[in-house]
């Protein structure tokens, strides 16, 4: 009884063991495992989201597993993590319980006839490296671990050799030592030869008679005849094959007839190659494989040539191909190509990346056609050779291969710039021309930084519309500049988006300063008229056809304005930006070599580049797309992340080579009382290469609206619940005080309001939510007139009427409110919104839920979309996505599942109508 009580106490789950765990279940998990989680204080979530801390999955082939790993980047563990954590009374590390990717993942081992301590040690090693151990030998087993060839389990496993590998415990320890799964063939227990007892010492021979040499066992030999050793090995292999029923007659001499003998010989030779790499050693075991290893070493030490069926190769003949049909270049060809820097051949120069030679990687691909980043992504991941490179010279001699075949390099690492490589390009000449803004002798005030600049604007009229152009003209005028309606000799700056207009060509010929709207914005922020210093300041060389329309780019470690500028550059080259990272991404733009996305990119063999890669593409340098990646894009950029390589665009900066002198008439017109000159600036002060002025403090981000901030107790209070939107802060506070004086309850949560007070019909988050729940939308006059009467007046006389906005949105606000009171718009509909949709997914969720709809946190399967239809055949499961997320829905595209943009929700709630046609995304 005491033993039973003690056992129950051991199996009891501590109440707080999993108290911080929110788990999601993939596939079928044993109910006992779920019971252990719940007993330890864990909470189960029925949706995949960022709220989930652990995903429990024993089957990595499930769709939910891929979604959790790639889309949400959640930690995934097997049910063994739960069971063993309970046994250990503490939460174990999750890394060693991943369903795949571990050294022994997929191994289900059963031991037989082992010592208890050895069995426990093997259980720990197999489990730690991702495998699983069990006592019963059944169909799920992949390996039987034993020394004994007489046991019942061995005989059962021998009858199913196609499914169950039979190995000695050395296979586990050696695989762990080498860092890779070794070939099981050479670890078969039947290959072990145990030492026989020595014969009694013979009596002393007559003095003059020669003494025959004693018989030496293979394990005691230091030097042996190679042919004798090979014959002994083949004799043993013939006995083994006969016992398995795989050989009907013995092979004479040193012929290798059976496939089993051939595979065993090849496996042993591979084993010798691995052991010579120095990765680890095994305790001596009396076996034929060690005898063969000694035989190989003795051959090499004696300088003898191996006995192979290959004839010697003449220098003029090509070298034999490597396994898999990959023809490797000869040493002479590699020297001609300049290949160097890898083990076994002298290299020239040093690599700036520890453990990697980018030039060697480039030259290995010298004979292959150039590929782009998208092509390498489509061709599948490249797996580097794990562990240190073995010394291949000896084993290559045995196999008859060329000794100087280079090994495959791992993907380049993301290192730091050193020496002359930092911020420079090989084509950059040491003597760079000087570019100027205003004349340094002119004392131009900061608030008049565009003084003397006369702009002509082209291209942007079709891009931003006349209202935005008028706003630009106003801002330019406020800072001392002018905008001419036509191009003439008096124009100093041409504001254009690309290099394909006639005005751009004419301005370049006339040596005008050609810039973009990005330059204008940055100059106004710096309050100095400087030459272009970023790639986006130069008009794009691309027009409608962008070079990177097939690239899906993710970024990491950039914040604030830097991240916004990276997004603008990605958009400029036609690529798609995603805030998340999956296997569909083609490249990761990284500021620093750290973080989860960076580690995932290395694991998935995804190219990782710096911001300079984007800058060069914006300038039209398409060589940046070639693989392998240029080393300058693999360096951590120091200083200005977006430094402009002026050597490539010198012809576009001709107009900046002379400082712009402000005429006296302009001084008198704009600044009549200011001095005209100041002490001359130091040479190069106005140059684009000078350090940046100290940046102003970044603007404080506007706090996101918290819809859970108000307590629901406000619903029980008497009086109207009023919310204000669209008013200046001071006026809004005054109106709120007046409403409270009348007895109203002020709320910032649009879900709780009964009256929305606003000056215009606007597309704000508050308006989108309130239109679904509030009784009326009124103007400020309702509050002011009610305060004069000291009571709330009838709202109908103060209803908001904005005819211009209602015409643009093709709706009537009062009719929309009436429809919302009859029935919630999205009642009975279920939505799934992909991550990159704008407005943010969180805002759209609030709008949908306020209109009676439901939002799924993980994407439903294809069957759900196909089955959820109404009587008219319209979908009841709505997919909201955008262009950047189309690749996440390829399976739905193949079945012609309808996809909609965000306006399906936004315009839908404004009109309180559902349109299944207008907002559907057409994908070609």
């Amino acid at each position: 009884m005491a033993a039973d009580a003690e056992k129950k106490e051991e199996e009891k789950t501590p109440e707080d063991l999993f108290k911080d765990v929110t788990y999601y279940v993939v596939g079928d998990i044993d109910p006992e495992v779920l019971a252990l989680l719940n007993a330890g204080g864990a909470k189960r979530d029925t949706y995949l989201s960022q709220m989930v801390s652990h995903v429990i999955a024993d089957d990595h082939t499930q769709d939910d597993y891929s979604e959790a790993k790639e889309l949400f980047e959640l930690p995934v563990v097997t049910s063994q993590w739960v069971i063993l954590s309970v046994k250990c009374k503490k939460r174990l590390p999750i890394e060693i319980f991943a369903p795949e990717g571990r050294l022994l993942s997929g191994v289900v081992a059963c031991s037989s006839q082992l010592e208890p301590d050895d069995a426990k040690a093997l259980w720990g090693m197999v489990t730690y490296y991702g495998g699983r151990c069990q006592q019963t030998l059944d169909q799920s087993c992949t390996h039987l671990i034993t020394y004994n060839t007489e046991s019942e389990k061995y005989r059962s496993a021998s009858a199913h050799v196609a499914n169950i590998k039979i190995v000695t415990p050395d296979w586990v320890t050696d695989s762990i030592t080498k860092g890779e799964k070794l070939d099981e063939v050479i670890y078969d227990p039947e290959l072990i030869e145990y030492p026989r007892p020595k014969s009694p010492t013979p009596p002393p021979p007559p003095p003059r008679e020669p003494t025959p040499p004693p018989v030496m066992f293979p394990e005691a030999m230091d030097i042996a005849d190679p042919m004798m050793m090979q014959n002994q090995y083949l004799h043993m292999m013939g006995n083994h094959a006969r016992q398995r029923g795989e050989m009907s007659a013995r092979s004479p001499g040193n012929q290798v007839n059976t496939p089993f003998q051939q595979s065993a010989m090849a496996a042993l030779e591979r084993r010798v190659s691995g052991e010579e790499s120095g990765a680890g050693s095994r305790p001596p075991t009396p076996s034929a494989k060690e005898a063969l290893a000694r035989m190989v070493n003795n051959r090499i030490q004696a300088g003898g040539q191996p006995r192979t069926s290959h004839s010697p190769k003449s220098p003029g003949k090509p070298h034999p191909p490597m396994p898999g049909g990959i023809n490797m270049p000869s040493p002479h060809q590699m020297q001609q190509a300049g290949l160097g820097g890898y083990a076994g051949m002298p290299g020239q120069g040093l690599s700036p990346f520890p453990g990697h030679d980018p030039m060697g990687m480039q030259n290995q691909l010298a004979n292959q056609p150039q590929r782009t980043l998208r092509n390498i992504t489509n061709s599948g991941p490249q797996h580097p050779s794990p562990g240190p490179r073995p010394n291949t010279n000896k084993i290559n001699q045995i196999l008859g291969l060329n000794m100087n075949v280079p090994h495959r390099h791992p993907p380049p690492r993301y290192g730091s710039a050193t020496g002359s490589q930092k911020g420079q390009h090989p084509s950059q000449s040491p003597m760079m021309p000087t570019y100027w803004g205003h004349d340094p002798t002119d004392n131009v005030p900061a608030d008049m930084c565009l003084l003397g600049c006369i702009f002509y604007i082209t291209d942007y009229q079709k891009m931003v519309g006349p209202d935005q152009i008028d706003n630009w003209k106003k801002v330019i005028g406020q800072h001392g500049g002018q905008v001419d309606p036509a191009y003439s000799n008096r124009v100093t700056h041409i504001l254009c988006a690309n290099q394909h207009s006639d005005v751009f060509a004419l301005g370049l010929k006339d040596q005008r300063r050609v810039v973009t709207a990005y330059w204008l914005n940055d100059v106004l922020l710096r309050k100095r008229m400087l030459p272009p210093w970023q790639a986006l300041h130069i008009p794009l060389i691309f027009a409608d056809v962008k070079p990177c329309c097939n690239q899906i780019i993710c970024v990491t470690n950039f914040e604030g304005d830097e991240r916004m500028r990276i997004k603008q550059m990605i958009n400029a080259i036609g690529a798609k930006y995603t805030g998340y990272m999956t296997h569909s991404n083609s490249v990761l733009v990284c500021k620093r070599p750290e973080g989860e996305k960076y580690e995932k990119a290395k694991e998935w063999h995804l190219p990782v580049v710096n911001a300079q890669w984007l800058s060069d593409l914006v300038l039209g340098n398409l060589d940046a797309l070639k693989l392998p990646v240029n080393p300058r894009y693999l360096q951590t950029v120091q200083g200005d992340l977006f430094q402009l390589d002026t050597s490539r665009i010198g012809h576009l900066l001709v107009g900046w080579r002379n400082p712009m002198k402000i005429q006296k008439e302009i001084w008198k017109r704009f600044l009549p009382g200011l001095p005209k000159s100041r002490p001359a600036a130091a040479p190069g002060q106005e140059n684009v290469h000078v350090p940046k002025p100290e940046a102003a403090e970044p603007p404080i981000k506007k706090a996101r609206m918290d819809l859970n901030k108000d307590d629901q107790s406000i619903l029980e209070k008497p009086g109207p619940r009023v919310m204000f939107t669209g008013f200046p802060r001071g006026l809004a506070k005054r109106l709120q005080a007046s409403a409270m004086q009348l007895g109203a309850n002020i709320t910032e949560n649009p879900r709780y309001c009964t009256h929305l007070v606003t000056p215009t019909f606007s597309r704000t988050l508050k308006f989108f939510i309130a239109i679904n729940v509030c009784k009326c939308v009124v103007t400020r006059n309702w509050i002011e007139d009610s305060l004069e009467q000291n009571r709330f007046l009838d709202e109908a006389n103060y209803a908001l009427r904005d005819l211009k906005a209602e015409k643009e949105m093709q709706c009537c606000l009062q009719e929309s409110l009436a429809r919302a009171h009859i029935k919630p718009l999205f009642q009975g509909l279920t939505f799934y919104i992909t991550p990159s949709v704008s407005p943010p997914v969180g805002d759209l969720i609030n709008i949908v839920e306020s209109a009676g709809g439901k939002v799924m946190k993980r994407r439903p399967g294809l069957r759900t979309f196909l089955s959820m239809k109404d009587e008219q055949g319209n979908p009841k499961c709505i997919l909201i996505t955008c262009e950047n997320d189309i690749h996440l829905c390829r399976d739905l595209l193949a079945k012609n599942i309808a996809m909609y943009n965000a306006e399906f929700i936004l315009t839908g709630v404004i009109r309180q109508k559902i349109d299944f046609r207008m907002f559907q995304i057409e994908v070609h």
Side-chain angles (χ1 to χ4, degrees), residues 121 144 152 156 335 376 470 492 608 616 618 696 709 721 870:
L144 175 66
E152 184 64 29
S156 299
Q335 290 173 2
I376 193 67
D470 292 341
T492 61
V608 181
D616 283 4
V618 171
K709 183 172 62 175
R721 299 183 294 274
D870 61 13

Side-chain angles (χ1 to χ4, degrees), residues 95-268:
E95 293 81 7
I96 64 176
F97 293 95
E100 61 176 347
R102 302 286 292 167
L103 177 62
L104 299 180
S105 293
V107 172
V108 180
C110 176
S111 61
S112 175
Q113 303 293 321
L114 298 181
E115 294 292 334
D117 292 341
D118 293 343
K120 290 181 180 179
L122 285 173
W123 175 86
M125 286 186 283
V126 171
T127 303
Y128 184 85
Y129 285 95
R132 183 163 58 90
C133 292
Q134 62 185 39
Q135 293 297 325
T136 57
L137 183 68
D138 53 24
Q139 294 179 350
S140 64
C141 281
T142 61
H143 291 73
L144 175 66
I145 304 177
T146 183
Y147 279 119
N148 194 333
T149 60
E150 304 297 331
S151 65
E152 184 64 29
K153 287 184 179 179
Y154 182 87
R155 287 191 289 271
S156 299
S158 298
H160 301 85
V161 291
N163 300 322
I164 302 178
K165 310 290 186 183
I166 306 176
V167 295
T168 63
D170 291 338
W171 177 79
V172 177
T173 57
D174 286 2
S175 295
I176 293 173
T177 302
K178 304 287 187 182
E180 60 178 336
K181 276 187 189 178
L182 299 179
D183 196 337
E184 293 93 343
V185 173
I186 60 176
Y187 289 91
D188 194 298
E190 287 196 358
L191 292 180
I192 299 176
E193 259 191 26
Y194 295 95
R196 290 170 290 188
K198 293 184 179 181
S199 58
T201 305
R208 294 186 179 180
E209 293 182 5
T211 304
V215 178
M216 302 297 292
F217 291 104
E219 62 270 18
M221 288 185 180
D222 292 329
I223 301 176
D225 179 73
M227 286 302 300
M228 182 183 70
M229 288 300 302
Q230 190 172 1
N231 289 338
Q232 289 181 357
Y233 166 75
L234 292 175
H235 175 72
M236 176 197 64
M237 293 302 300
N239 293 335
H240 169 77
R242 189 186 304 107
Q243 292 173 3
R244 289 289 187 94
E246 299 174 358
M247 178 176 178
S248 59
R250 288 186 51 185
S251 304
N254 59 353
Q255 297 289 328
V256 181
N257 293 334
T258 67
F260 180 81
Q261 288 176 326
Q262 294 174 356
S263 62
M265 175 65 83
L268 279 171

Side-chain angles (χ1 to χ4, degrees), residues 615-628:
S615 296
D616 283 4
L617 285 176
V618 171
L619 294 177
N621 180 19
L622 299 186
D623 288 342
L625 290 174
K626 293 180 179 179
L627 288 176

Side-chain angles (χ1 to χ4, degrees), residues 415-523:
S416 299
T418 58
S420 61
Q421 294 173 338
K422 187 186 304 182
Q424 293 187 8
H425 190 270
S427 62
Q428 226 171 331
S429 62
M431 296 298 296
M432 296 294 298
T434 302
Y435 302 108
W436 303 86
H438 281 119
D439 192 310
T441 60
D442 289 335
N443 188 15
V444 180
D447 58 346
M448 285 290 175
C449 58
L450 298 180
L451 190 63
C453 300
I454 301 176
F455 291 86
Y456 175 73
I457 302 176
T458 183
D459 298 336
Y460 287 107
Q461 286 83 354
K462 297 179 180 179
M463 299 173 61
V464 299
D467 293 341
Q468 187 67 34
I469 297 297
D470 292 341
N471 185 45
W472 289 1
K473 292 178 180 179
K474 181 179 179 181
V475 172
I476 290 173
Q478 291 173 348
H479 290 81
Q482 303 176 61
V483 179
D484 276 8
Y487 180 78
S488 64
N489 290 333
R490 66 185 241 111
V491 170
T492 61
H493 293 70
I494 298 178
L495 206 64
C496 54
N498 58 64
Q499 303 178 20
H500 292 265
S501 63
D502 295 336
V503 176
F504 171 84
L506 183 59
L508 209 59
K509 180 181 178 182
D510 295 341
Q511 298 186 4
R512 298 294 186 261
R513 298 168 178 85
V514 287
V515 291
T516 64
Y518 293 106
W519 174 88
L520 178 61
N521 180 76
D522 292 346
V523 163

Side-chain angles (χ1 to χ4, degrees), residues 22 27 201 661 703 777 924:
T22 301
T201 305
K661 188 71 176 177
V777 180
H924 302 286

